[in-house]
Amino acid sequence: MRRKFGADQGGPGHLQGNPREVFATFLKLGLTSFGGPIAHLGYFREELVIRRKWLSDSAYAELVALCQFLPGPASSQVGFAIGLLRAGWLGALAAFAAFTLPSAVVLFGFAMTATRISGPIGTGVLHGLKIVAVAIVAQAVWGMARNLCPDRERAGIAVLAVVILNILPGTPGMMSAITVGALLGLALGRGIGASIGSDVIGPVSRGVAGLALFTFVALLVCLPLVAGLGQGLAILDSFYRAGALVFGGGHVVLPLLEAEVVQPGWVTPDAFLAGYGAAQAVPGPLFTVATYLGGAAHGLAGAVIAIFAIFLPGFLVLIGVLPFWDRFRSMARVQSLMQGANAAVVGILGAALYSPVFTNAISDLSDFALALVCFVLLTAWKVPPWGVVIVAALGGAGLMLVRG
């Protein structure tokens, strides 16, 4: 069954948009979402929750929390789910294609030409794009904290999540923080179950969900058995496994990809690092580095197979879980659990704001000043994110020229 994740009501309803609208919106995000998965969630929230009101802040946080538990690229999974809930299956495909296409095309072109951004202006632009990520994530943390941590208890859960990440960094710490937050929310017992109408026809039935989960496991088990039958199957196996075994997405996938493409000799270590550097310079999901790696190793066919394979497992798992997630959240106890998990997500985003976003982007007071300008432009002046990205890029280039 499907519940409408709308901004104004939490109950069941009809699809609110169409694939063309979803494609146009996510294409804009795919062209402007710099800064990695955490920053992408900030861009998504500003565009889809605050500006367009496609879904509520709490529903958005639930999707973020859900995708943090699943293997695959979290921000792309969130986008896929929003497209699905907004305009059905074609909406989900439109969201994925539009958000992924810009960076995929650029990275494939880089693989074919082996060009690299260099010089003080180019380096400064890249530095400015890192700085704008600080402002985007700070805006997301600020907005979500006000909505999802409205009392002392949930604010405490957010702080506890940061403490847990300090003790246990990385994906295990993230999963632990969300689990602890969920259990504390359950203990608080403040949830009120959301109603689900009996006449809802959702885009994901339990049968489809079961088929998706079966396909996920079957491919993970069977692809290694047939990988030796052809180059295409070998690429499919390598990139599918990388996408299936990584939690948290983003940079976490890089060691897995290195094992899949460098150790077999498909791509040299230098070429692998060049692709990683280029992926930092483009908007959209970091998983599109698969386009570069597949293209560098096996041309256009390799790029297409690689990008399809690396995203597929995360989407299969998401499809398999979504209908049951909707049922569970209608229960008061699950609502209490989710309130705690949502508060923990705020803490996780807050921790990410410091590291790696702030620590990697801000090196001196000039950098901090530019980040503050971007934050004020976003929050007080309501400048659209793409405009702030331009300001940050120009500002970063200017700072690099001044520094010599």
Side-chain angles (χ1 to χ4, degrees):
M1 301 181 73
R2 180 184 61 80
R3 181 182 57 83
K4 186 181 81 172
F5 277 62
D8 302 321
Q9 53 182 312
H14 300 291
L15 296 176
Q16 297 296 297
N18 58 73
R20 183 181 302 174
E21 172 199 34
V22 171
F23 185 89
T25 301
F26 275 91
L27 183 61
K28 172 186 174 183
L29 290 166
L31 289 166
T32 59
S33 294
F34 293 91
I38 299 299
H40 298 164
L41 297 177
Y43 284 105
F44 285 4
R45 179 182 176 274
E46 179 63 22
E47 181 69 23
L48 306 176
V49 177
I50 303 301
R51 184 169 178 267
R52 296 182 180 271
K53 303 186 184 302
W54 281 7
L55 69 169
S56 66
D57 227 344
S58 59
Y60 179 71
E62 288 169 18
L63 288 178
V64 172
L66 169 61
C67 293
Q68 294 287 356
F69 278 107
L70 303 178
S75 61
S76 294
Q77 288 170 306
V78 169
F80 184 91
I82 292 174
L84 178 65
L85 296 166
R86 180 71 181 175
W89 292 109
L90 289 179
L93 294 175
F96 163 65
F99 185 59
T100 307
L101 187 62
S103 56
V105 170
V106 171
L107 289 174
F108 176 73
F110 178 70
M112 294 297 98
T113 60
T115 59
R116 303 187 69 171
I117 298 176
S118 60
I121 294 180
T123 303
V125 167
L126 296 183
H127 186 57
L129 298 180
K130 292 181 180 180
I131 290 175
V132 77
V134 177
I136 293 291
V137 177
Q139 182 192 32
V141 172
W142 178 254
M144 294 180 75
R146 288 186 299 174
N147 291 323
L148 304 179
C149 300
D151 50 50
R152 293 178 296 180
E153 291 80 6
R154 278 175 277 183
I157 291 174
V159 173
L160 179 60
V162 177
V163 174
I164 292 173
L165 286 172
N166 183 58
I167 299 171
L168 186 63
T171 300
M174 244 189 341
M175 305 253 329
S176 299
I178 292 176
T179 301
V180 171
L183 293 175
L184 291 175
L186 184 62
L188 289 175
R190 296 179 179 175
I192 300 175
S195 61
I196 296 182
S198 59
D199 60 341
V200 175
I201 300 176
V204 183
S205 67
R206 292 194 174 193
V208 171
L211 179 61
L213 292 176
F214 173 80
T215 303
F216 168 80
V217 175
L219 288 174
L220 189 61
V221 172
C222 296
L223 280 175
L225 304 178
V226 299
L229 299 179
Q231 186 179 83
L233 288 172
I235 300 170
L236 185 64
D237 171 47
S238 294
F239 284 89
Y240 184 89
R241 182 164 51 250
L245 299 181
V246 61
F247 283 84
H251 303 287
V252 184
V253 78
L254 293 175
L256 293 171
L257 286 176
E258 191 274 339
E260 297 293 344
V261 301
V262 175
Q263 294 180 16
W266 289 358
V267 174
T268 66
D270 287 345
F272 180 83
L273 292 177
Y276 169 75
Q280 310 306 306
V282 297
L286 183 59
F287 267 41
T288 54
V289 72
T291 311
Y292 167 86
L293 296 173
H298 303 293
L300 179 60
V304 172
I305 295 173
I307 197 167
F308 169 77
I310 200 169
F311 280 101
L312 179 60
F315 292 155
L316 287 174
V317 172
L318 177 62
I319 292 168
V321 171
L322 266 177
F324 304 102
W325 184 263
D326 188 53
R327 170 69 68 177
F328 290 152
R329 74 168 305 280
S330 69
M331 306 172 186
R333 289 173 63 84
V334 175
Q335 279 283 4
S336 298
L337 184 146
M338 284 309 307
Q339 287 179 1
N342 291 341
V345 167
V346 174
I348 291 170
L349 292 177
L353 172 61
Y354 173 72
S355 178
V357 176
F358 188 93
T359 56
N360 286 347
I362 307 300
S363 59
D364 56 27
L365 186 59
S366 298
D367 291 342
F368 181 74
L370 179 56
L372 189 60
V373 167
C374 294
F375 180 77
V376 171
L377 289 175
L378 285 167
T379 57
W381 290 78
K382 306 300 180 184
V383 176
W386 62 266
V388 180
V389 167
I390 293 175
V391 170
L394 294 175
L399 288 176
M400 195 62 61
L401 290 174
V402 170
R403 292 166 181 170

